[in-house]
Amino acid sequence: MITRRDFFAMVGGGIVVLIAEDDLLAQETGGRLRGRNTMPEEVSAWLHVGENGAVTGYTGKVEIGQNARTSLTLAIAEELRAPVASVTMVMGDTALTPFDQGTVGSQTTPRMWPQMRRAAAEAREMLLDLAAKKWSVDRLSLKIAEGRVSAGERSAGFGELTRGEKLTRTIPANVALTPAAEWKVAGTSLRKLNGREIVTGAHKYPYDATRPGMLWAKVLYPAQFGATLRSLDSAAAGAMPGVKVVHDGDFVAVAAPAPEVAEKALAALKAEWNPVTVEVDSRNVYDYFKRNARDAATNPALVPYHIAYIAHVPLEPRAAVAEWRDGKLAVWTGTQRPFGVRGELAQYFGIGEEDVHVIMPDMGSGYGGKHQGDAALEAARIAKALGKPVKRNWTRQEEMTWAYFRPGGLIEVAGTTAPDGTVTGWEFHNYNSGPSGLVSPYAFSSRKEEYHGVRSPLRQGSYRGLAATANHFVRESYMDELAHSIGMDPLAFRLKNAKEERLRNVIVAAAGKFGWKGRKKTPGHGFGIAAGFEKGSYVATCAEVSVDPASGATKVLRAVIAFECGAIVNPDHLRNQVEGAVAQGIGGALFEQIDFAAGRITNNRLARYRVPRFADMPVIESVLLDRKDIPSAGAGETPIVGIAPAIGNAIFDAAGKRIRRMPLQA
Amino acid sequence: MARVTELLVNGSTRRIDADPDRTLLSVLRDDLDLTGTKFGCGEGQCAACTVLVDGVATRSCLTRVGTVAGKRITTIEGLAAAGALHPVQQAFLDHDAMQCGYCTPGMILGAVSLLGRNPNPSDAEIVSGMNGHICRCGTYPRVVAAIREAARKGGRA
Ligand code: FES
Ligand code: FES
């Protein structure tokens, strides 16, 4: 744990504000704490105003393309009244930033963003105190703007005020914040902060990290999931110049001073694996889910939907460099949970967390797919065995085999509706895919919604929106089925059952912008609508598709998304997230699926696993509803949940065929 | 085949000592530390590894370094002449045509090459010209807008 003294040794003088994890400190002390000497363990963020006026926010959150670095900078600039250019964010470095659970579940905006604002608001008050004291003037006569405090003729930059100071305040997380309606900097479309480093290629991603004297490592993976090593002949590999072989049980790796040598050494390893018998494959897995679930449903009216496993395919595969020094480990790696990876490593090697330093450079995305430290652990094991820094970059095929997948699932649904469109009964069972978004946001008077866990045949984990995508796909498809069963317009049917104001607002906004009421049916074209709620945000999506009558090939022509996530933090970045979620969602909706059989992934390369490309893009229009009266929620995930059912419903409209599986392939 | 000892990169001659069968991608990244050229798949599917060879977009993951000795290679690091951004780079910035940015260097060089052969592409021509590039974050509409604008401003540079 960093102490106050260490902290100032690290950053120089100035003022520091520590933010205590929500409520913890307040409960502990009954109120505001000042001048505490040691940083409490519950600190979740801190902020430093240096003697040169530079402002630095420290958070364990990471930047993975969702533009948290930019939004947190906005938070600080807003509350501190500091120019954006004077603010820097230090993120995801376990030695410099406070503990954080991870950049997951769209929590940065609802939780970290207000904390950064509170830290900045408190720093602003401290600067005002300093100026009042310095000039012996009434605090109320002071103005603070653009990185300066002024009183009449007198004015001082933040640096002049903090010079020679070593002030700390620890505050509970409930100081007053500027209301969204009065924001000046927050709520504006600040561009991505390190965009210039990206367009010039200067930014170093985890895949680019190096250490002096490092070796390049390759790992020999089994021929099937779960296979154990029967025999290994590494003589040829070990005889190659500079090559070292690491063999520890079933773990086999080679390392060399140059990457191409490590590759050749890997190819020269001769291994035999004990075969495993696996009966589950990507075709029969849906029966497997039902057979192996506890309390599987029995209602004969239930209609089954199938959800395929899919891969995240972050364009940057997993990567790590590990270096041991005096029993301490430093790792540069791409992960959404640097502190989680620190814990994994400390536990594996039986050392203290304080002896593991995880550094997370802004990475080539994750979408929920980079929670664990697989590459980091491999690099650290090999580095430990060889006594040299080791770089371990995964290939695309490794990423698409040995990472984890978005869960596949079987979802069963049944419902009844009154002639006026009121849903009178609703039963919904999700097997394996997950409980997120299971509960319908519609006002069903009678409902049964259950999640049934199953032991997944593939390693599975979180994915943008988790199971909310699958659950919305099925719910919104089935809502359409019910609407058609009574000959009711799908929009009117949804509005009949949507009682929440925020849900109704997005449905009305999307349908209005799309021109739902005036839509004109032409042969081979169809229109679909879907709506939903997840992680504090509401979304409605309308889609227009064309379906080729001969091949069934579907093209999405137009998508309109209405999205509401409370007060908007950065409109252009929100739009970017909405567009990106729709683009990514089209992949899962139309063509992405992981094929597996006999304990192997059979389409673990991009030539066999199709992801959305330029030519797959519809015209995307977003309607952003700004609710300044509602705290901001995250937006990286929820916009994805509406596109698949909107497309599926549009296919039904175009071709009269209900496809009860995702991807939507008949 | 003889080892490759020189490579003409970003306007200067760089001394290397590489097996001619190695990929240009690996030589650029691992020998010359030009890591702006990205590895995305190694199978020619994503174009994150795009560089210009004599002005033409080329997938460096599928290019043997022995085949480009003596040719003019431009990587993303060499595109901003004397610190002034190329109009395509500027347009990507202005449109915030990125999220994680991992595809961006390849996209930019792909766009420079496209505008080199077709200075005034229609949207459909941009889409077909860029379709080999993957952006997993889905910034495609912004990339199209950025290229459209760079073309309007004479993105050939
Ligand atoms: S890395 Fe070359 S095409 Fe993907
Ligand atoms: S911006 Fe992330 S892959 Fe394109």
Side-chain angles (χ1 to χ4, degrees):
Chain A
M1 201 61 221
I2 300 176
T3 64
R4 175 177 179 274
R5 241 204 358 243
D6 299 336
F7 197 84
F8 283 113
M10 183 169 90
V11 300
I15 61 176
V16 169
V17 179
L18 308 170
I19 285 288
E21 189 65 69
D22 289 352
D23 304 331
L24 271 176
L25 196 64
Q27 284 164 12
E28 221 176 73
T29 65
R32 181 170 290 210
L33 245 191
R34 298 206 172 186
R36 230 167 112 156
N37 276 342
T38 321
M39 296 200 180
E41 303 246 341
E42 319 77 50
V43 163
S44 60
W46 54 70
L47 181 110
H48 172 239
V49 184
E51 292 176 285
N52 56 1
V55 181
T56 312
Y58 294 81
T59 171
K61 296 289 179 206
V62 295
E63 170 61 48
I64 59 177
Q66 84 287 35
N67 283 321
R69 185 178 293 284
T70 307
S71 68
L72 293 169
T73 299
L74 276 177
I76 293 172
E78 173 66 47
E79 297 292 346
L80 194 52
R81 319 287 190 245
V84 164
S86 68
V87 181
T88 309
M89 288 302 307
V90 174
M91 303 177 75
D93 180 317
T94 62
L96 299 177
T97 66
F99 175 83
D100 185 83
Q101 291 288 351
T103 305
V104 302
S106 292
Q107 290 304 300
T108 302
T109 301
R111 292 180 64 86
M112 185 51 61
W113 202 71
Q115 292 186 19
M116 273 298 159
R117 287 175 60 202
R118 289 184 188 109
E122 186 68 14
R124 177 186 73 219
E125 298 306 310
M126 290 168 78
L127 289 164
L128 291 171
D129 288 347
L130 286 170
K133 196 162 113 210
K134 182 176 174 122
W135 298 326
S136 309
V137 295
D138 180 0
R139 223 171 156 284
L140 290 177
S141 68
L142 295 170
K143 287 201 172 44
I144 181 165
E146 284 298 304
R148 300 190 73 79
V149 180
S150 54
E153 299 287 275
R154 275 181 294 212
S155 152
F158 290 175
E160 290 164 66
L161 295 169
T162 57
R163 205 154 299 150
E165 302 288 347
K166 282 192 177 168
L167 281 180
T168 344
R169 273 187 202 171
T170 306
I171 55 167
N174 58 4
V175 287
L177 296 177
T178 309
E182 291 164 28
W183 288 347
K184 296 203 170 55
V185 196
T188 64
S189 291
L190 180 62
R191 298 245 174 277
K192 186 174 186 73
L193 280 174
N194 53 345
R196 198 185 160 98
E197 282 70 61
I198 285 173
V199 301
T200 55
H203 173 64
K204 294 280 186 192
Y205 289 83
Y207 220 81
D208 307 329
T210 55
R211 295 300 293 163
M214 73 180 191
L215 301 176
W216 297 76
K218 286 276 178 191
V219 171
L220 181 72
Y221 292 107
Q224 293 173 288
F225 294 121
T228 49
L229 190 61
R230 185 192 301 160
S231 71
L232 176 73
D233 174 359
S234 62
M240 298 168 79
V243 170
K244 301 259 186 305
V245 179
V246 177
H247 182 185
D248 173 12
D250 287 332
F251 182 73
V252 182
V254 290
E260 73 278 8
V261 180
E263 257 167 59
K264 285 189 185 135
L266 179 74
L269 289 173
K270 291 189 201 71
E272 286 182 312
W273 301 91
N274 295 310
V276 274
T277 313
V278 187
E279 264 142 36
V280 194
D281 61 31
S282 41
R283 286 164 194 273
N284 65 22
V285 67
Y286 307 103
D287 296 336
Y288 165 90
F289 289 145
K290 180 96 192 209
R291 263 189 288 116
N292 290 279
R294 248 192 287 146
D295 307 325
T298 51
N299 178 357
L302 287 166
V303 173
Y305 277 71
H306 294 173
I307 310 293
Y309 284 87
I310 67 175
H312 304 79
V313 196
L315 203 57
E316 179 186 34
R318 283 162 167 69
V321 174
E323 180 171 45
W324 289 88
R325 240 187 230 178
D326 306 326
K328 293 187 201 299
L329 172 62
V331 167
W332 290 257
T333 192
T335 174
Q336 294 174 245
R337 296 173 57 248
F339 288 87
V341 171
R342 180 181 71 172
E344 270 179 62
L345 293 169
Q347 193 183 19
Y348 183 85
F349 293 107
I351 56 179
E353 294 201 336
E354 63 284 0
D355 291 333
V356 181
H357 181 188
V358 176
I359 303 114
M360 160 53 199
D362 296 5
M363 73 175 170
S365 212
Y367 321 112
K370 289 183 182 163
H371 287 189
Q372 269 100 14
D374 316 80
L377 180 56
E378 290 173 353
R381 283 179 81 171
I382 304 163
K384 185 154 193 226
L386 300 179
K388 290 206 172 183
V390 161
K391 181 171 176 73
R392 174 76 188 111
N393 280 0
W394 280 24
T395 64
R396 174 58 51 197
Q397 285 88 329
E398 288 166 347
E399 176 71 35
M400 292 181 71
T401 310
W402 298 99
Y404 54 85
F405 300 97
R406 183 198 74 181
L410 167 70
I411 298 179
E412 298 178 318
V413 59
T416 50
T417 174
D420 72 345
T422 306
V423 173
T424 48
W426 185 259
E427 185 173 348
F428 192 97
H429 299 270
N430 177 311
Y431 302 90
N432 188 63
S433 123
S436 285
L438 181 70
V439 175
S440 160
Y442 296 105
F444 297 154
S445 54
S446 138
R447 56 167 80 199
K448 179 174 186 183
E449 292 159 323
E450 289 176 355
Y451 165 64
H452 308 263
V454 186
R455 221 185 104 153
S456 169
L458 293 186
R459 189 178 178 211
Q460 64 183 24
S462 54
Y463 182 96
R464 191 176 205 169
L466 302 172
T469 298
N471 287 324
H472 277 82
F473 170 68
V474 176
R475 178 163 54 243
E476 288 297 302
S477 298
Y478 197 71
M479 286 291 280
D480 231 57
E481 296 197 36
L482 288 179
H484 287 290
S485 74
I486 55 164
M488 193 164 170
D489 178 75
L491 168 64
F493 185 76
R494 283 175 175 77
L495 288 173
K496 180 86 197 165
N497 291 285
K499 302 291 181 225
E500 277 182 69
E501 180 219 357
R502 293 174 72 189
L503 181 62
R504 294 182 66 86
N505 287 347
V506 288
I507 296 174
V508 168
K513 173 89 178 182
F514 188 74
W516 180 266
K517 295 216 165 99
R519 71 196 189 280
K520 295 222 168 36
K521 278 264 315 162
T522 49
H525 277 230
F527 305 90
I529 185 167
F533 163 77
E534 180 63 10
K535 299 197 172 77
S537 310
Y538 290 80
V539 64
T541 306
C542 296
E544 178 181 355
V545 305
S546 65
V547 180
D548 184 302
S551 67
T554 301
K555 170 103 179 82
V556 187
L557 303 172
R558 184 172 172 235
V560 172
I561 302 91
F563 190 65
E564 192 260 283
C565 57
I568 296 175
V569 169
N570 181 324
D572 191 54
H573 282 176
L574 177 56
R575 210 172 282 282
N576 201 343
Q577 283 303 313
V578 170
E579 292 165 358
V582 169
Q584 191 164 51
I586 284 174
L590 288 180
F591 32 74
E592 287 184 43
Q593 67 176 50
I594 279 291
D595 297 328
F596 60 97
R600 293 186 183 89
I601 306 296
T602 55
N603 62 341
N604 59 356
R605 59 193 65 210
L606 291 177
R608 298 205 197 130
Y609 183 97
R610 172 148 140 62
V611 298
R613 292 179 180 269
F614 279 92
D616 298 311
M617 288 304 104
V619 174
I620 302 175
E621 295 158 72
S622 44
V623 188
L624 308 179
L625 305 180
D626 191 9
R627 286 292 297 262
K628 297 218 183 288
D629 55 323
I630 296 175
S632 312
E637 302 186 78
T638 304
I640 202 173
V641 305
I643 186 72
I647 293 172
N649 294 341
I651 293 174
F652 179 79
D653 190 40
K657 189 141 116 205
R658 177 66 59 186
I659 304 175
R660 297 196 180 101
R661 74 183 301 263
M662 200 162 74
L664 287 151
Q665 291 168 358
Chain B
M1 211 160 118
R3 292 181 76 77
V4 183
T5 54
E6 277 183 8
L7 218 51
L8 195 53
V9 185
N10 298 332
S12 55
T13 303
R14 304 288 302 264
R15 299 214 62 86
I16 56 167
D17 176 24
D19 185 323
D21 281 344
R22 281 180 63 200
T23 65
L24 175 59
L25 175 64
S26 172
V27 173
L28 290 171
R29 290 178 52 83
D30 307 329
D31 296 17
L32 299 176
D33 198 30
L34 293 168
T35 54
T37 308
K38 297 296 177 213
F39 174 93
C41 67
E43 50 170 315
Q45 287 288 326
C46 75
C49 62
T50 299
V51 298
L52 302 181
V53 176
D54 289 338
V56 176
T58 304
R59 276 158 214 201
S60 62
C61 74
L62 296 183
T63 304
R64 305 282 149 204
V65 70
T67 65
V68 292
K71 301 199 175 163
R72 275 184 307 116
I73 298 161
T74 307
T75 71
I76 192 70
E77 290 91 345
L79 196 59
L85 292 184
H86 185 284
V88 174
Q89 289 172 308
Q90 188 61 50
F92 270 67
L93 270 188
D94 292 345
H95 286 264
D96 237 325
M98 66 197 85
Q99 284 183 21
C100 74
Y102 197 77
C103 66
T104 309
M107 289 273 186
I108 289 173
L109 290 167
V112 169
S113 176
L114 169 68
L115 296 178
R117 15 176 235 280
N118 180 358
N120 200 5
S122 65
D123 278 10
E125 287 169 333
I126 295 174
V127 164
S128 64
M130 295 297 291
N131 208 41
H133 291 260
I134 290 174
C135 173
R136 189 57 169 160
C137 299
T139 63
Y140 298 119
R142 284 162 186 264
V143 172
V144 173
I147 296 174
R148 199 189 293 137
E149 165 152 320
R152 201 170 51 77
K153 292 188 172 161
R156 223 170 159 168

